[in-house]
């Protein structure tokens, strides 16, 4: 459970850094970097959703 909490925090930090970097790159009109930050943001959201699904499944398994 501690590992999953640590991963959740890491994903939040990754999403935050990606969004801030996306804003910075957009303001500086650095479009290849914008594409990179969009990709990393989507990747972190995907991992976060996958983690939440795994957590819900493990909670249901423990309650049975």
């Amino acid at each position: 459970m501690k590992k999953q909490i640590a991963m959740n925090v890491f994903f939040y930090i990754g999403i935050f850094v990606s969004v801030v970097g996306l804003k910075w790159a957009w303001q500086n009109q650095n479009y290849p970097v914008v594409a990179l930050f969009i990709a990393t943001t989507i990747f972190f959201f995907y991992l976060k959703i996958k983690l939440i699904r795994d957590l819900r499944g493990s909670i249901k398994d423990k309650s049975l």
Side-chain angles (χ1 to χ4, degrees):
M1 188 68 164
K2 290 180 184 179
K3 178 183 173 186
Q4 293 171 336
I5 292 171
M7 287 175 55
N8 191 29
V9 170
F10 173 72
F11 294 153
Y12 272 124
I13 292 171
I15 291 168
F16 177 75
V17 169
S18 295
V19 169
V20 170
L22 179 65
K23 182 182 178 214
W24 170 83
W26 187 264
Q27 288 176 347
N28 292 322
Q29 297 177 350
N30 195 348
Y31 298 115
V33 177
V34 169
L36 175 70
F37 280 122
I38 288 173
T40 57
T41 304
I42 291 170
F43 179 68
F44 279 122
F45 272 119
Y46 167 76
L47 291 176
K48 180 138 181 66
I49 290 169
K50 188 175 177 183
L51 178 68
I52 290 171
R53 286 183 182 166
D54 290 343
L55 281 172
R56 286 183 183 168
S58 67
I59 289 171
K60 285 182 182 179
D61 290 343
K62 287 182 181 179
S63 65
L64 294 177

